[in-house]
């Protein structure tokens, strides 16, 4: 449930799925997560991680405003280990992406810059005030518009609620043995997350879309590669971080050329998710606090779930998130 009512699209937010530990007792599980790491463990891991370029660190010397977008709620209290791990890893809470970057990306999205539109077609009228309010509502940015520099926030409560909905969509698709396409534009952070979901989906009867052969991306160069069931864009010997929609467009066009059906579900991020959603394909994905495009796509009904989180922390810090999603998804396989 939202802690802010300023968004013009508050009525479009999907209700949080009620999650109770007692509701899972006695039910057979198709996924057994490792014990959730403690907050202290994640704190020690994160303490050794150097700050990324252009990001901020939380220090005693910094002036952080009192108003925060990260207000604990019932899901935070119901899943304290997950909440603690998310915040200790700076996946949510006070995160590394600075406020000035978040606000700049809203402007650049509205200007429809190629790296910032994520291939999302605008079907509603948007201005800065509306997108900012949406990001406060969906992501948990600090709500004071006068705060323009410093440490910003992602709501742990909203992240957990979105992860639960994400797990429900993934689980229902796998239970139906759907054709699922997994992809990421953020291989340095999110590739292992998508790999875990793709491997779980394949192991439980879903068709993970994996066409063979060379697939070029003519508009931007390079080609598409598949790593453990997850599609990435390859260029010049590497798999770069990208917001661009062209890799997904090339893959979907190739499927059409080969006479294959479109995916039943796309699980992705960045332009991979935005492009698929704009083409009318059921899509769920992850987005950072400086990625307004996917939250706009969710508000417009093009992307079913956009999970707010920092999408570029050390990959092992996402393990509690993976465990939680697959626990939710596995419930759809119980019968």
């Amino acid at each position: 449930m939202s802690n802010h009512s300023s968004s013009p699209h508050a009525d479009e937010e999907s209700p949080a799925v009620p999650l109770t530990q007692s509701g899972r007792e006695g039910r057979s599980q198709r996924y057994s997560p490792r014990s959730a790491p403690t907050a202290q463990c994640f704190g020690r891991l994160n303490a050794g991680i150097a700050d990324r370029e252009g990001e901020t660190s939380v220090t005693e010397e910094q002036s952080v405003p009192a108003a925060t977008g990260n207000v604990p709620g019932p899901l935070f209290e119901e899943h304290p280990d997950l909440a603690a791990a998310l915040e200790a890893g700076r996946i949510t809470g006070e995160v590394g992406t600075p406020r000035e970057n978040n606000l700049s990306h809203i402007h650049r999205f509205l200007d429809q810059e190629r790296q910032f539109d994520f291939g999302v077609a605008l079907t509603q009228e948007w201005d800065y005030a509306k997108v900012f309010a949406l990001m406060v509502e969906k992501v948990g940015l600090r709500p004071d518009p006068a705060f323009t520099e410093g440490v910003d926030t992602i709501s742990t409560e909203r992240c957990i609620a979105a992860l639960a909905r994400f797990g429900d969509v993934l689980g229902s698709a796998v239970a139906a043995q759907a054709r699922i396409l997994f992809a990421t534009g953020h291989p340095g952070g999110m590739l292992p997350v998508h790999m875990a979901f793709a491997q779980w989906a394949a192991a439980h009867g879903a068709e993970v879309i994996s066409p063979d052969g060379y697939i070029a991306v003519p508009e931007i160069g390079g080609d598409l590669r598949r790593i453990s069931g997850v599609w990435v864009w390859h260029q010049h010997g590497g798999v770069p971080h990208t917001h661009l929609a062209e890799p997904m467009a090339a893959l979907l066009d190739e499927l059409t050329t080969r006479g294959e059906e479109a995916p039943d579900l796309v699980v992705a991020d960045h332009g991979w998710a935005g492009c698929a959603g704009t083409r009318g394909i059921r899509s769920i994905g992850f987005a950072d606090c400086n990625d307004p495009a996917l939250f706009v796509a969710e508000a417009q009904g093009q992307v079913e779930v956009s999970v707010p989180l920092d999408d570029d922390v050390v990959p092992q810090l996402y393990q509690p998130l993976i465990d939680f999603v697959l626990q939710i998804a596995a419930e759809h396989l119980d019968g």
Side-chain angles (χ1 to χ4, degrees):
M1 182 176 294
S2 170
N3 293 312
H4 300 285
S5 59
S6 57
S7 170
H9 305 287
D11 59 338
E12 296 178 11
E13 183 174 14
S14 300
V17 177
L19 302 172
T20 60
Q21 294 299 329
S22 60
R24 296 195 182 94
E25 290 176 1
R27 301 180 67 178
S28 62
Q29 291 294 322
R30 305 293 180 89
Y31 178 73
S32 299
R34 292 189 285 273
S35 298
T38 63
Q40 291 83 358
C41 172
F42 278 93
R44 288 194 298 272
L45 278 171
N46 205 49
I49 301 169
D51 290 338
R52 288 167 283 158
E53 183 178 356
E55 294 188 345
T56 58
S57 298
V58 181
T59 66
E60 293 181 359
E61 291 77 16
Q62 283 183 302
S63 175
V64 178
T68 177
N70 184 36
V71 179
L75 291 177
F76 188 105
E77 296 173 0
E78 192 171 333
H79 304 282
D81 290 341
L82 174 61
L86 291 172
E87 294 196 357
R90 296 184 72 189
I91 297 169
T92 63
E94 293 183 336
V95 294
T97 308
R99 176 70 160 199
E100 49 269 38
N101 188 265
N102 291 335
L103 302 185
S104 170
H105 282 207
I106 294 175
H107 287 294
R108 300 182 79 171
F109 165 71
L110 289 169
D111 289 341
Q112 291 290 276
E113 290 189 31
R114 189 180 187 189
Q115 279 275 9
F116 298 89
D117 66 7
F118 286 20
V120 174
L122 298 182
T123 62
Q124 300 177 18
E125 293 293 327
W126 294 93
D127 58 21
Y128 179 86
K130 288 181 179 179
V131 177
F132 176 77
L134 181 73
M135 296 299 284
V136 170
E137 178 71 22
K138 295 288 189 179
V139 179
L141 297 190
R142 295 188 188 276
D144 182 2
F147 174 59
T148 58
E149 295 183 359
V151 179
D152 217 337
T153 55
I154 294 176
S155 167
T156 303
E157 181 79 5
R158 293 185 184 95
C159 179
I160 294 174
L163 288 171
R165 292 189 287 122
F166 185 105
D168 277 327
V169 173
L170 177 61
S172 63
V174 171
Q177 297 187 332
R179 301 179 72 248
I180 308 177
L181 191 156
F182 295 87
T184 183
H186 221 316
M190 299 302 296
L191 179 58
V193 177
H194 290 289
M195 286 170 55
F197 296 154
Q199 290 164 6
W200 180 86
H204 290 92
E207 179 185 349
V208 176
I209 295 177
S210 304
D212 294 325
Y214 179 81
I215 302 176
V217 187
E219 291 189 36
I220 57 175
D223 62 288
L224 303 179
R225 302 286 176 95
R226 189 178 69 254
I227 302 175
S228 296
V230 182
W231 289 94
V232 295
W233 174 49
H234 166 263
Q235 190 176 51
H236 306 312
V239 285
H241 164 262
T242 181
H243 291 171
L244 295 172
E246 282 83 353
M248 177 59 91
L251 181 53
L252 295 176
D253 290 345
E254 180 67 19
L255 292 175
T256 300
T257 298
R258 296 184 183 192
E260 297 189 27
E261 295 181 0
D264 298 312
L265 176 68
V266 165
V267 180
D269 49 53
H270 287 183
W272 293 91
C275 175
T278 291
R279 290 198 180 195
I281 299 170
R282 189 184 193 193
S283 302
I284 57 177
F286 300 97
D288 210 325
C289 53
N290 63 353
D291 293 337
L294 280 197
F295 296 102
V296 167
E298 184 182 32
Q300 294 183 153
Q302 296 155 315
V303 171
E304 189 164 341
V305 182
S306 292
V307 179
L309 48 64
D310 189 312
D311 59 10
D312 193 28
V313 303
V314 175
Q316 63 263 29
L317 297 181
Y318 293 113
Q319 190 61 51
L321 176 157
I322 294 169
D323 292 342
F324 179 74
V325 167
L326 292 183
Q327 279 186 312
I328 299 294
E331 294 186 353
H332 292 266
L333 306 183
D334 295 336

